[in-house]
């Protein structure tokens, strides 16, 4: 991939480079964007003080399909409290790497191609990585499952944390999947179209959103409903065993994954319950 530089010479864009991230751009954009999103979604982020120094793996539940605005809310709060040490490199899908404009914006903020090698280099530099293990399955989960963690049995994030001996820091968001209606994840359609083989996409959702109404696939234009978003950064999870041998033990990997996912589900359930209770209180007060 080549891009023109100011002097007219072609320069190569490297989606795997750690130097793409621009701290000055982050300092300029993250606070105001985070403030605006927090106000719009009446968002609250708790537990940011739990973020450890140095290398760590943020693990979140994925929301809003491709929009994932709750990520901006979390990053703004983490940056406000901890500065650049809390800002992660985000492992992203290949489609985000090849899109001409998106790839540059994502790279400036720390986005990079998802690979074990890239994550290893980030951890070696003492930095943090952000990943959403559920990927498209989690981000495209139907509205009825908005308060569920859907990782689809994927355990690559656990293997990564064990192999690199870094703590897992779960980040859970409730309400972010309620900014529109996902009527169905349409996994059967995705399989019929061979999207998993062609693009590594296992879901192609049917959505109801503003202003386009019903759309098949991620809505190209979205006015999100101002659903209240509650987020919590959980205590870092450290495992008794680590290293390549631990990462190669399927039973132990599954045990660690169950531990993380059950804790995240418990937190999501509590946050969702709090959202409903606060909504009922607000409705009673308004009546």
């Amino acid at each position: 991939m080549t891009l023109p530089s100011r002097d007219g010479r072609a320069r190569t864009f490297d989606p795997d480079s750690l130097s793409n991230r621009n701290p000055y751009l982050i300092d300029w954009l993250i606070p105001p964007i985070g403030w605006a999103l927090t106000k719009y979604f009446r968002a609250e982020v708790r537990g940011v003080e739990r973020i450890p120094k140095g290398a760590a793996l943020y693990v979140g539940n994925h929301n809003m399909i491709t929009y994932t605005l709750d990520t901006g809310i979390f990053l703004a709060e983490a940056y406000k409290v901890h500065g650049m040490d809390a800002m992660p490199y985000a492992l992203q899908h290949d489609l985000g790497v090849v899109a001409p404009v998106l790839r540059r914006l994502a790279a400036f903020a720390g986005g990079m191609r998802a690979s074990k090698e890239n994550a290893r280099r980030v951890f070696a530099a003492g930095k943090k990585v952000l990943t959403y293990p559920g990927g498209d399955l989690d981000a495209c989960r139907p509205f009825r499952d908005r308060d569920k963690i859907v990782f689809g049995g994927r355990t690559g994030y656990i293997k990564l944390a064990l192999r690199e001996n870094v703590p897992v820091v779960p980040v859970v968001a409730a309400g972010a999947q309620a900014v529109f209606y996902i009527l169905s994840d349409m996994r059967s359609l995705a399989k019929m179209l061979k999207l998993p083989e062609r693009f590594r996409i296992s879901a192609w959702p049917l959505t109801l959103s503003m202003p386009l109404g019903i759309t098949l696939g991620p809505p190209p234009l979205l006015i999100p409903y101002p659903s209240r978003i509650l987020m919590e950064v959980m205590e870092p999870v450290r495992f008794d065993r680590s290293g390549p041998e631990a990462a190669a033990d399927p039973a132990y990997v599954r045990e660690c994954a169950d531990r993380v996912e059950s804790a995240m589900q418990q937190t999501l359930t509590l946050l969702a319950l709090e959202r409903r209770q606060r909504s009922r209180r607000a409705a009673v007060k308004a009546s």
Side-chain angles (χ1 to χ4, degrees):
M1 301 177 185
T2 59
L3 295 172
S5 61
R6 289 184 178 179
D7 58 9
R9 298 178 181 176
R11 59 187 177 86
T12 301
F13 170 71
D14 182 3
D16 302 317
S17 175
L18 273 65
S19 62
N20 288 331
R21 190 167 72 171
N22 188 322
Y24 301 103
L25 190 66
I26 289 173
D27 186 62
W28 182 50
L29 288 179
I30 289 294
I33 290 176
W35 178 85
L37 292 173
T38 298
K39 289 294 183 181
Y40 184 80
F41 292 109
R42 298 162 293 158
E44 298 175 21
V45 184
R46 304 163 187 168
V48 179
E49 70 281 356
R50 297 168 177 159
I51 296 175
K53 293 184 179 296
L57 179 64
Y58 292 129
V59 172
N61 59 315
H62 209 348
N63 301 289
M64 303 188 196
I65 312 179
T66 53
Y67 290 94
T68 188
L69 299 177
D70 51 324
T71 300
I73 295 171
F74 161 63
L75 293 181
E77 187 65 22
Y79 184 67
K80 181 171 68 176
V81 175
H82 296 283
M84 282 301 297
D85 181 66
M87 297 300 287
Y89 286 86
L91 301 182
Q92 59 186 36
H93 193 281
D94 289 347
L95 293 180
V97 174
V98 299
V101 176
L102 181 60
R103 71 185 183 194
R104 296 298 296 174
L105 294 175
F108 283 145
M112 62 193 315
R113 191 200 312 271
S115 72
K116 293 182 290 186
E117 293 73 19
N118 283 343
R120 184 178 298 115
R121 291 190 297 115
V122 174
F123 292 140
K127 308 297 183 182
K128 295 176 173 63
V129 166
L130 170 64
T131 187
Y132 292 104
D136 51 351
L137 297 181
D138 207 17
C140 297
R141 68 191 186 278
F143 186 79
R144 65 179 179 274
D145 294 332
R146 62 193 179 280
D147 297 328
K148 293 182 180 179
I149 300 292
V150 181
F151 283 3
R154 297 170 179 175
T155 57
Y157 72 103
I158 291 292
K159 295 176 184 177
L160 176 63
L162 292 175
R163 189 165 47 244
E164 302 303 321
N165 191 24
V166 296
V168 167
V169 182
V171 181
V172 178
Q177 195 72 348
V179 301
F180 50 39
Y181 280 83
I182 297 180
L183 305 175
S184 173
D185 56 20
M186 303 295 282
R187 293 193 199 184
S188 58
L189 176 63
K191 185 176 181 180
M192 184 176 68
L193 296 176
K194 298 184 177 180
L195 297 185
E197 295 85 352
R198 295 173 177 173
F199 303 108
R200 294 196 301 114
I201 298 175
S202 300
W204 196 246
L206 183 67
T207 65
L208 174 62
S209 62
M210 298 185 293
L212 300 180
I214 294 180
T215 58
L216 181 58
L221 178 64
L222 174 67
I223 301 176
Y225 178 77
S227 167
R228 183 187 297 276
I229 296 177
L230 301 181
M231 303 188 70
E232 182 165 345
V233 182
M234 299 171 60
E235 291 286 352
V237 180
R238 295 176 171 85
F239 304 105
D240 296 333
R241 296 166 51 199
S242 62
E245 290 187 5
D249 183 341
Y252 183 64
V253 168
R254 185 67 263 169
E255 176 187 331
C256 294
D258 289 343
R259 174 185 170 188
V260 172
E261 292 168 37
S262 61
M264 292 179 69
Q265 182 60 66
Q266 182 178 19
T267 297
L268 179 55
T269 299
L270 292 174
L271 291 176
L273 176 61
E274 180 181 345
R275 287 184 69 251
R276 289 193 292 271
Q277 291 174 338
R278 291 172 67 168
S279 295
R280 284 196 290 266
R281 287 198 296 267
V284 170
K285 185 176 180 181
S287 61

